[in-house]
Structure formats: structure tokens, C-alpha cells
Amino acid sequence: MNGSTNTRTPDRPAAASPEDSSGLGARGRLILITLCGATFMTGVDYSIVTVALPEIGRDLRFASAADLQWVATACLLPTAGLLPLFGRLSDLVGRRRLFTLGAALFGALSLLAGLAPTPGVLIAARAGQGVAAAMVGPTALALMTAAFPEGPRRTKALGINGALLSLGFVVGTIGGGLITSGLSWRWTMLLLALFGAVVLVGALTLLPGTGDVRTAKRLDVPGALLSSAGLFALVYGISTGGAAGWASAPTLGALIGAAVLLAAFLVAESRHADPLLPLGLLNRRTVKWSALTGLITFSMCGGTTLLLSLYTQDVLGWSPLATGFGFLAEGALALAGGTVAARVIARRGTTATIATGLLIQAVGTAGMVLLPAHGDLPLLLVTSGLMGLGHVLAVVAFVTTLTSGLRDDEQGVAGSIAQMPQFVGAIGVAGLTAVASANGSLLDGLHTAMGAAAVVVLAGIAVAVVGLRAPAGARTA
């Protein structure tokens, strides 16, 4: 075995050994709480504000619904655009240092958002939160893989992390409704500031100093500019295309610009001595195919969750708060999936776990086609719960696959790649919404889109089984 590269592949179950233990230890649990707390915080951030948007618009007197939507979009765009940059920058300046800075900025900007007197100040603060989240996301994952060596402990940590990401969405949706109804929308931002402060304290007192080891020599500035601009344009085009029109000049301009910029980025990376995103890493079987399965599960789960929100509110007439409670089964089974993921992977291997998770997600999504116009709460809870369970199993297994067998100096970049499907997955929201809108009846359109999502998830199983199959003669654990 080469001393600098781990050739172990995660395709098959690891053989049991006396040294293997999934116990994290007292300090390990505290480190995990800190890092997963950051993941939970960013998950809450993306959902908690959605329910509060109407009150924010009234309180700050936004001029239009399009302007109000920027309260959500302003946070999403910089996070998606800056993930590769901060993933690489963490290797340059130190992961612990960048994580700590991100947590501090997130808390401070959440406080500013909670106190914002005008729409402009709120949108600027939300954009700053997005930048801070881009610092926290990939560095948290890289610190986690460094703190927990490859094997049962890391898989267990990633399982908890994946479950809390999904749970954060549900808690944010419900919490946003409760806080906005009982207090004020401003408390949603102040709660995020409190989360940021707790994560910051944990980062300063618990994270090991080895997290500040620098593994990169210089920053690829052309690659950083091209990737950030390209991803920004891509996510902007996808997230605004539904409202502006897919054939509109702004949408087409953004998507064409994204294609040109990202193509130029790949050319620049192939010629740079120290690239932002090494193409050799991106072309690894375990990286590219696991990232693709991650994109499938995130895009279809996110898109279907939006379809369920439209079903409960526009078909059944539920309030946003009641809709949030309707996602409880999804959150609860997602949490359960995260707790058992390590054991499933240990027994079946990552590829089989990805396929199993996607199959469960597809079954739950397909079952939603049976949701009636008059409502069926048990069916809603069962189908959404299965979707959440399968989604988290697939997420934990794809992240485990993607981060396994890599050198320490590759983990920062790998962290940004693993985070990317969450944000580029907005393509699923856009695509499924377009399918639903193409039908005359809202319910028929939702059923058609849900069926389409199930088919895409099933196709993801083929991607996982074929793409992640170990080549003949490959060494496995």
C-alpha cells in the first residue's frame, strides 16, 4: 500500500476486528455535539425563515413578494457558490480556524438579522449568514472525518450528522411557525444567534488544535473566481427560474453563464499546479458516483417535500404551522435512520446501503401518488416517514463512501463536494414544480410529479450499483 494514499474502498462490509468500536468516548461525544450542532444550525436556518416570510414582509414593508423572497435566496446563493473556495481555504488556513470564524460570523450576522430595521439590512445580513454557512459546512465535515478515523466511529458520527441535518429542517419549519405565532419573526434570527454562540464556545474549547494543520500551499484564485461565479449563476437560475420563467432572459442568461463559467473552471483546473478542486480527486469512482447519488437523493427529497407542502396547504387547506407538524414523521424516521445507519453499513457495505436507502425513499415517494383530495393523515405520515428514512440512509452512505480512502489533505475539498448536492439539489425543486405545473389540476400535477420523483430515485439505485461497483481485483476491506 502507498504510504500516502489509503486504498481501502468502502464498497463491501468491513471485516470485524477487535479494535473496531463505534463508541465515541466522552470527549468524542462533545466534539460531535459541536460539529453536528453546526450542521443542525444551518439546517434550521434554511427552513425557519420560510414560515416567517409573510410576517417579515408586513413588519419591514417589503415592496413586493419578489423582493421578500430574497430573504431566503440571499442566504442560499453565497453558500452554494463559496463551498469549493472555503473547502480549499480550510486546507490553507486551518480547518479549526475557519470553522471558528464561520461560527462567530454566523452568530453575529444572525443577531444583526434579528435587529434589522430595514429590508436592505436584513437581506445583507442573510447574505452574510450564507457566507458563514459556507465556511462552517465543509470544515465541519472535514473536522469530523479527522476526529473520527475511518471505520465504525466515523460512520456513526456521519449518521448522527445526517440525521440532524434532516431534523433541523423539520424543527426549523415547526419552530418558525411557533415562534412567529407566539412572539415575533425576529426571535427566529435571535435563536440562530444563540446556536452560533453555543457552537463557537464548543469550537474554542473542544476542537483539537490539529484541526489547524495547513495542508495546502497556495490558493487557486482563477479557479476560486470561476467556480464561485459559476455555481452562483447555476443556483440563481435554478431557484428563480420557476417564478421568472424558464425562457426568460435572466434565467437563460444565468444558466448559460453558469455552463460557460463552470466549463472554464474545469479547463483552468486541468492546467493549475495546485487546483482548487483536483480533477484527479473529482474523477475517482467513489467520489463522482457517490456525489451523483447524493444529488439524486437530495434533489428528489427536497423537491418532494415542497410538493407535500403544496398538497397540505393548497389542497387540504392546512396552515403553515400545521404543515410543519405534518413533517414530524419525516423528521422522526430521519433521526432513526441516522442512528442505525452505521450498523446497516457495517453489515451490508456502503453501496448496498445507498441502494437500500434509495429504494425505501422511492417506495415512500411513490406511495404519495395515492394521497387523496380529502386527506389521509396516516398515509401522509407513513409515506413521508419512509422518504425521510431512506433519504438519510442514502446520505450517510454516500458521504461515507465519498470521504473514505482519501488523504488528510483531501478532506477539506471532499467536504465541499459532499455538501454541494444539498444546494445544487434545488434543481429537483425546480424540475418537480415544473412537472406539477404542467397539469391542469393541482392534485393531478402533484401526483404526476411525485411519481416522476420516485422514478428518478429508482434510477439512482442503478447509478449506485453500477458506478460504485468495485473493479475486478480491487482491494476491499
Side-chain angles (χ1 to χ4, degrees):
M1 181 187 300
N2 189 305
S4 63
T5 303
N6 186 350
T7 58
R8 179 182 184 270
T9 63
D11 297 332
R12 297 174 185 157
S17 68
E19 292 81 9
D20 281 345
S21 172
S22 60
L24 302 176
R27 184 172 181 82
R29 283 193 291 271
L30 291 174
I31 292 174
L32 185 61
I33 288 172
T34 298
L35 297 176
C36 288
T39 299
F40 181 78
M41 173 180 74
T42 55
V44 168
D45 180 40
Y46 295 124
S47 59
I48 197 170
V49 74
T50 304
V51 180
L53 282 178
E55 185 183 338
I56 293 173
R58 290 190 294 268
D59 186 34
L60 295 183
R61 299 181 181 179
F62 273 78
S64 66
D67 290 342
L68 181 60
Q69 189 59 39
W70 276 101
V71 176
T73 306
C75 185
L76 173 65
L77 291 179
T79 304
L82 295 174
L83 277 174
L85 170 61
F86 286 126
R88 190 59 171 170
L89 197 60
S90 70
D91 294 330
L92 186 66
V93 304
R95 295 164 192 165
R96 179 179 179 271
R97 185 174 290 112
L98 189 61
F99 178 86
T100 303
L101 176 61
L105 287 176
F106 188 92
L109 289 162
S110 297
L111 179 61
L112 176 61
L115 301 175
T118 65
V121 173
L122 177 59
I123 290 173
R126 291 288 292 162
Q129 283 179 303
V131 174
M135 294 181 183
V136 168
T139 50
L141 191 56
L143 287 166
M144 195 175 298
T145 57
F148 304 103
E150 191 172 326
R153 295 179 68 208
R154 178 185 293 182
T155 305
K156 183 174 183 178
L158 291 175
I160 296 171
N161 188 64
L164 287 179
L165 176 63
S166 296
L167 189 63
F169 167 80
V170 177
V171 170
T173 303
I174 297 173
L178 289 173
I179 293 171
T180 302
S181 301
L183 296 169
S184 162
W185 68 268
R186 295 183 182 276
W187 283 96
T188 63
M189 296 294 104
L190 297 178
L191 179 63
L192 290 173
L194 178 60
F195 276 142
V198 171
V199 171
L200 177 61
V201 170
L204 292 172
T205 58
L206 295 169
L207 296 184
T210 52
D212 275 336
V213 174
R214 305 178 188 186
T215 58
K217 297 179 180 178
R218 57 175 176 162
L219 181 65
D220 172 15
V221 176
L225 294 175
L226 289 170
S227 68
S228 298
L231 289 170
F232 186 97
L234 176 63
V235 176
Y236 173 81
I238 292 171
S239 60
T240 61
W246 293 105
S248 66
T251 301
L252 287 177
L255 295 177
I256 293 172
V260 172
L261 289 166
L262 292 176
F265 167 71
L266 292 177
V267 172
E269 296 305 273
S270 68
R271 299 175 178 177
H272 201 281
D274 192 13
L276 186 78
L277 182 59
L279 297 186
L281 172 64
L282 187 61
N283 199 43
R284 287 186 62 154
R285 173 179 56 84
T286 53
V287 172
K288 63 182 179 183
W289 294 115
S290 62
L292 181 55
T293 58
L295 177 61
I296 290 171
T297 186
F298 269 114
S299 61
M300 292 300 102
C301 184
T304 305
T305 299
L306 176 62
L307 296 179
L308 282 178
S309 180
L310 293 174
Y311 169 73
T312 55
Q313 296 187 64
D314 294 350
V315 176
L316 302 183
W318 290 10
S319 69
L321 181 57
T323 295
F325 279 106
F327 290 127
L328 273 177
E330 181 180 342
L333 284 184
L335 185 61
T339 59
V340 302
R343 280 175 282 177
V344 175
I345 290 173
R347 291 179 182 176
R348 305 199 61 196
T350 51
T351 301
T353 303
I354 291 174
T356 301
L358 291 177
L359 179 60
I360 296 172
Q361 181 179 340
V363 169
T365 306
M368 295 172 190
V369 174
L370 303 176
L371 290 170
H374 55 78
D376 186 334
L377 184 58
L379 180 61
L380 173 64
L381 295 177
V382 168
T383 54
S384 63
L386 286 175
M387 181 179 71
L389 171 63
H391 170 65
V392 169
L393 285 175
V395 167
V396 175
F398 107 74
V399 175
T400 301
T401 303
L402 195 152
T403 57
S404 295
L406 303 182
R407 302 188 308 268
D408 183 64
D409 64 328
E410 295 173 321
Q411 290 293 348
V413 175
S416 67
I417 296 173
Q419 294 273 315
M420 192 59 63
Q422 291 178 238
F423 305 100
V424 181
I427 192 171
V429 175
L432 294 180
T433 302
V435 172
S437 301
N439 286 264
S441 163
L442 174 59
L443 184 58
D444 288 344
L446 293 175
H447 284 165
T448 301
M450 290 166 176
V455 171
V456 172
V457 176
L458 287 174
I461 298 175
V463 171
V465 172
V466 175
L468 293 174
R469 182 173 52 200
R475 294 178 61 182
T476 58

